[in-house]
Amino acid sequence: MVKLRLKRCGRKQAVYRIVAIDARSRREGRDLRKVGFYDPINNQTHLNLPAILDFLDKGAQPTGTVHDISKKAGIFKELHLN
């Protein structure tokens, strides 16, 4: 099963990549594809909408935090329109 989850990148300052990854892999494991970026301190988000929609169509499950970030960006509205 594929999950959309956060992968930590920052050393001192927490910055995360949103990645599609196998559910059995650890947090810092090898990802299938990078689909976004999230900076909680500056509250910045960059999402690759076509890639995320493609993974969701194929049955990928977002984690709780990724689900909330996606919901704010309106991805699920786009998913229902398609």
Side-chain angles (χ1 to χ4, degrees):
M1 177 198 275
V2 175
K3 285 200 170 236
L4 296 175
R5 69 166 68 147
L6 296 176
K7 185 174 185 179
R8 187 175 173 139
C9 294
R11 186 172 182 184
K12 291 183 180 179
Q13 186 177 8
V15 178
Y16 300 93
R17 281 192 183 129
I18 300 171
V19 296
I21 195 168
D22 186 24
R24 296 169 293 183
S25 298
R26 58 193 179 102
R27 181 186 74 180
E28 303 302 327
R30 185 171 179 178
D31 52 286
L32 300 172
R33 184 167 180 192
K34 296 173 184 80
V35 294
F37 173 82
Y38 175 59
D39 183 1
I41 295 173
N42 296 328
N43 202 16
Q44 294 178 339
T45 307
H46 174 68
L47 301 173
N48 184 352
L49 293 178
I52 292 174
L53 290 173
D54 184 44
F55 276 109
L56 289 174
D57 283 338
K58 292 178 182 176
Q61 298 293 316
T63 59
T65 307
V66 174
H67 183 271
D68 294 341
I69 293 168
S70 302
K71 193 173 180 182
K72 286 181 186 176
I75 287 180
F76 296 109
K77 291 178 186 176
E78 301 244 350
L79 184 65
H80 291 298
L81 291 176
N82 291 340

